[in-house]
Amino acid sequence: MTDHLPRSVLWVDPGVTSGWFEYDLTLNQVWACQLTFHELVITLDNVLVKATDVIVGCERFIITQNSARRPGSVEAIKAWGAVSAAATRFAIMVDDSQTSSVMTACSDTDLKALGWHFRGMPHANDAARHVFIWLARHQALSDVQRRRGVN
């Protein structure tokens, strides 16, 4: 385990509909939803103004010739900017080191085992995958799995 883990890990999967997933390591609780851009901006301000000891992550959107043409690419960039701006306003660091390619390391089965899979909320599930990977990268996943009753 790392020297210091935050109280909670919050991740946004940016897009036309952005996925939101937060895991509170202290309370062992999760919060997940899907938000429009307007809802994302308001929710970020409402949550981060009260946040203490939180890491905020946002999937890094990589612009290529192909991704720039995809529907929703502009919205994904706007959502990433909203996350970055909100975190800056509240002096919170943003982890944008993970791209969508890390999500293959966490399946729906992995999410379901933790109770982190939300039917009908694919974007929130993608944000949860990022939290799963972040916890694994910081040697905290096994502790989370134990606390959530996963063998």
Side-chain angles (χ1 to χ4, degrees), residues 9-12 54-60 80 83-84 87 92-99 130 133-135 137-138:
V9 180
L10 162 63
W11 215 277
V12 174
V54 62
I55 179 76
V56 175
C58 189
E59 178 184 307
R60 183 170 27 137
W80 183 91
V83 171
S84 182
I92 297 171
M93 295 290 295
V94 176
D95 182 337
D96 66 350
S97 64
Q98 295 179 178
T99 64
H130 280 285
I133 299 304
W134 188 93
L135 290 167
R137 278 187 17 225
H138 292 85

Side-chain angles (χ1 to χ4, degrees), residues 63-131:
I63 301 170
T64 64
Q65 282 186 329
N66 290 334
S67 68
R69 293 186 194 122
R70 275 191 227 135
S73 59
V74 170
E75 289 82 357
I77 293 167
K78 285 171 48 179
W80 183 91
V83 171
S84 182
T88 299
R89 271 193 304 282
F90 300 107
I92 297 171
M93 295 290 295
V94 176
D95 182 337
D96 66 350
S97 64
Q98 295 179 178
T99 64
S100 62
S101 62
V102 303
M103 294 197 297
T104 57
C106 178
S107 68
D108 283 351
T109 303
D110 295 325
L111 293 179
K112 288 175 183 175
L114 289 169
W116 289 7
H117 186 270
F118 300 91
R119 198 167 129 206
M121 293 202 299
H123 305 293
N125 291 336
D126 286 347
R129 289 179 220 290
H130 280 285
V131 171

Side-chain angles (χ1 to χ4, degrees), residues 1-2 4-7 23-29 113-114 116 132 134-151:
M1 191 171 289
T2 59
H4 173 76
L5 288 172
R7 176 188 170 118
Y23 176 63
D24 187 311
L25 286 86
T26 304
L27 300 175
N28 192 28
Q29 293 180 336
L114 289 169
W116 289 7
F132 181 98
W134 188 93
L135 290 167
R137 278 187 17 225
H138 292 85
Q139 292 81 44
L141 186 58
S142 59
D143 185 51
V144 171
Q145 289 170 321
R146 180 187 53 74
R147 293 184 70 206
R148 305 249 344 140
V150 178
N151 296 326

Side-chain angles (χ1 to χ4, degrees), residues 12-21 33-34 120-128:
V12 174
D13 181 60
V16 174
T17 300
S18 291
W20 178 291
F21 184 85
C33 63
Q34 296 188 150
M121 293 202 299
H123 305 293
N125 291 336
D126 286 347

